[in-house]
Amino acid sequence: MKLTEYARYDALGLAKLVADGEVMPRELAALAARAIAAVNPELNAVVETYADRLESLDERTLGAGPFRGVPFLIKDVFGHEAGRKIEFGSRLCRGMVAEQDTAYCRLVKAAGVNIIGRSAAPEYSMAGTTEGALYGNTSTPWRKGYSAGGSTGGGTAAVVAGIVPLAHGSDIGGSIRIPASFCGGVGLKPSRGRVSFAPMIDEGGYGLAQNFVQTKTVRDAAAMLDCLAVPQPGDPFVIPQPQKSYTELILSPAPRLRIGWSTKPLMDFPTDPQVAEAVMRTAQILADLGHQVEEDSPNVDGLAAMRNMMDVWFFGFDLRLAGYARRTGLVIGAETLEPVILKVHEYARRMAPAQFIAAMVALNAARRQLGAYFTRHDVWLAPTTSRVAEPWGRYNLGRDDVEFEELPDKIFRPVCQFTLPHNIMGTPAISLPLAMHASGLPIGVQLAAGPANEHLLLQLAAALETALPWSDRVPPLHVCPGVGVKSAEGLG
């Protein structure tokens, strides 16, 4: 197989070639290594590779699932594999090794993927851009020096650039969907509880976070959700599953749905006119497909919710870092933490339990206020991000001109204002690359549904993938510029 062919396929397409005996997993691993060598020096999406999975892969170690042999990147965050480095993008954790597998890692390996290395993430995944002191900055494949989004910027950039067809993603405030928007990929954040955080955690970020993957096709997202939506012993709760697999469901159109759409800012941050236009165009297409579509914005103070969310995110953060410091023998300070994270650490040390409790009460109120939207509509259509990718330096954790109290205004709301509500509610949401900006950068459009209704989003996404296809768009920073995506039907 040629590198140009490798880069054309989605994950299921490559897996079918493996299943048919047309290519071997070792050959795919070698192609992934060549892809990294070809584009990663410009992209900076991959921070470590595993020689035993690239140069000397034992194919007997691969799972038998639907993605057998497909190269995959694990994000430098929770989801880790025992015996491998897990540094959370932080100099404080330099060289730290994971002590046990997560359930996520076990499930994704059972799906058949070959985990070939680690993708870049900002420090502790606390930014909507992937820039950092430990490994440097990651570019969107569409323009060097422009943000890939965050915190899963490394994984998404690698997928869109053709290094791997899918990669680990995680999302506590938009970290799957923001990079999907900035890079032009598919980013699904599943419902709260859909993908287990076993065995170390009950719920990531007190229920705000979810693990999943970054993909370039809807069908890859559906098939991987089938693999990862497996409740684990001791999970705090189990949410309903659809009667059919997600892979089957996307082959049928969604029922007629009530769809509300809005581009009205939720945190007083203006929406780019071209981004708003992309949402309105999507609304019209969904209406043409027979859905009931109307403009309607939720009534919520998004900025207040963001400020309260910070008291949930950061409660106990100082204890977490103290544990890492004990493991690495390094000292918490300006030499080991980014300026913004150091201020977060100092704030966490001063926090009182009453602040955390008050923030949880406030988020409960915001969740119920936001949840009322889904009594009027089945789906909420909005921008993913207010703007397309911007140059490095605007929303990163290395800024020394931002006080803690300014974090919502200067670091978080510009990228999180439309994504954050679904972390508060625990509702599924997906970003799709449905348009291109006049600047030459992709525009992400977000669809969200009520809890446990991922199947509706995937059905709508499959229809939009046909109506507004993106597979032939290839960014300048790509393994093989000019090569589009091919599915399992084969080349030619």
Side-chain angles (χ1 to χ4, degrees):
M1 176 179 267
K2 297 177 181 178
L3 194 56
T4 51
E5 296 172 321
Y6 168 81
R8 291 180 67 184
Y9 283 94
D10 67 356
L12 287 175
L14 289 178
K16 186 174 188 298
L17 295 179
V18 171
D20 292 345
E22 295 183 40
V23 66
M24 300 298 288
R26 281 192 177 189
E27 187 177 355
L28 293 183
L31 286 162
R34 288 176 54 196
I36 292 169
V39 75
N40 198 57
E42 293 290 299
L43 205 63
N44 196 33
V46 182
V47 298
E48 183 186 9
T49 56
Y50 304 149
D52 60 313
R53 300 274 177 78
L54 287 172
E55 300 162 15
S56 55
L57 173 66
D58 182 351
E59 296 182 5
R60 296 171 298 179
T61 64
L62 296 173
F67 295 98
R68 187 172 185 273
V70 174
F72 183 86
L73 291 168
I74 202 86
K75 183 179 176 181
D76 190 21
V77 74
F78 284 116
H80 43 262
E81 181 178 12
R84 305 284 188 185
K85 283 196 288 189
I86 173 75
E87 296 171 311
F88 298 99
S90 178
R91 291 166 293 171
L92 180 66
C93 297
R94 190 190 297 271
M96 195 167 72
V97 174
E99 297 170 343
Q100 61 179 316
D101 283 352
T102 59
Y104 176 93
C105 185
R106 292 196 302 270
L107 289 169
V108 83
K109 286 198 286 188
V113 301
N114 175 22
I115 303 174
I116 63 167
R118 263 188 310 151
S119 62
E123 194 163 50
Y124 305 109
S125 290
M126 286 190 181
T129 184
T130 303
E131 304 170 43
L134 181 60
Y135 288 114
N137 302 344
T138 302
S139 290
T140 172
W142 292 92
R143 187 165 302 160
K144 187 172 182 179
Y146 277 62
S147 174
S151 61
T152 319
T156 314
V159 167
V160 175
I163 292 174
V164 291
L166 77 171
H168 175 205
S170 63
D171 189 314
I172 198 172
S175 291
I176 285 174
R177 292 158 288 155
I178 294 165
S181 181
F182 281 9
C183 293
V186 175
L188 170 68
K189 181 198 79 70
S191 296
R192 181 172 298 157
R194 178 67 76 201
V195 178
S196 176
F197 273 97
M200 287 79 82
I201 310 173
D202 276 345
E203 295 181 90
Y206 300 99
L208 299 171
Q210 268 291 284
N211 266 326
F212 194 51
V213 291
Q214 310 289 152
T215 71
K216 53 189 174 185
T217 62
V218 173
R219 69 178 196 155
D220 278 356
M224 188 54 86
L225 193 58
D226 285 326
C227 295
L228 297 182
V230 181
Q232 299 297 299
D235 278 354
F237 59 88
V238 176
I239 65 175
Q241 295 270 29
Q243 293 184 343
K244 295 181 180 180
S245 71
Y246 296 106
T247 302
E248 292 177 279
L249 284 166
I250 63 167
L251 300 178
S252 302
R256 187 171 187 266
L257 299 171
R258 299 169 300 160
I259 299 175
W261 68 271
S262 177
T263 61
K264 181 181 176 182
L266 301 178
M267 298 182 188
D268 299 323
F269 192 83
T271 302
D272 182 290
Q274 292 185 47
V275 172
E277 182 182 352
V279 173
M280 289 185 281
R281 181 186 179 199
T282 304
Q284 183 58 57
I285 288 172
L286 291 171
D288 293 343
L289 290 172
H291 299 289
Q292 177 186 319
V293 179
E294 63 176 316
E295 185 176 4
D296 185 18
S297 180
N299 179 27
V300 68
D301 186 340
L303 204 52
M306 167 61 79
R307 291 190 179 105
N308 284 306
M309 200 164 181
M310 286 169 51
D311 277 350
V312 176
W313 278 345
F314 303 146
F315 184 66
F317 183 63
D318 55 323
L319 302 178
R320 176 184 171 189
L321 294 195
Y324 295 152
R326 285 192 296 272
R327 288 174 64 181
T328 62
L330 298 172
V331 177
I332 294 171
E335 298 301 314
T336 55
L337 294 179
E338 305 264 12
V340 169
I341 295 298
L342 187 58
K343 289 173 183 174
V344 169
H345 174 263
E346 292 166 353
Y347 179 80
R349 291 182 64 193
R350 300 191 303 269
M351 280 188 72
Q355 289 175 259
F356 172 75
I357 293 169
M360 290 292 280
V361 169
L363 286 186
N364 173 65
R367 182 174 66 250
R368 296 184 185 283
Q369 190 176 16
L370 283 163
Y373 194 87
F374 291 110
T375 66
R376 305 190 299 273
H377 308 288
D378 302 304
V379 171
W380 177 6
L381 170 66
T384 305
T385 53
S386 305
R387 299 176 180 175
V388 295
E390 297 181 84
W392 292 334
R394 299 193 179 180
Y395 311 124
N396 70 75
L397 302 171
R399 289 181 59 174
D400 57 11
D401 61 339
V402 180
E403 297 304 319
F404 181 85
E405 294 73 18
E406 298 176 304
L407 292 182
D409 292 328
K410 294 186 176 180
I411 299 294
F412 295 133
R413 73 168 179 156
V415 287
C416 294
Q417 78 167 341
F418 290 110
T419 57
L420 185 65
H422 304 293
N423 298 89
I424 293 173
M425 290 187 287
T427 42
I430 190 169
S431 179
L432 301 173
L434 297 183
M436 292 294 292
H437 196 271
S439 63
L441 295 166
I443 294 172
V445 174
Q446 180 178 244
L447 294 143
N453 284 337
E454 287 93 336
H455 59 289
L456 297 180
L457 296 183
L458 290 166
Q459 287 176 316
L460 289 178
L464 290 169
E465 191 174 26
T466 299
L468 295 168
W470 56 81
S471 62
D472 288 334
R473 291 192 210 128
V474 180
L477 301 180
H478 191 272
V479 171
C480 303
V483 177
V485 176
K486 192 72 176 178
S487 62
E489 285 70 32
L491 293 165

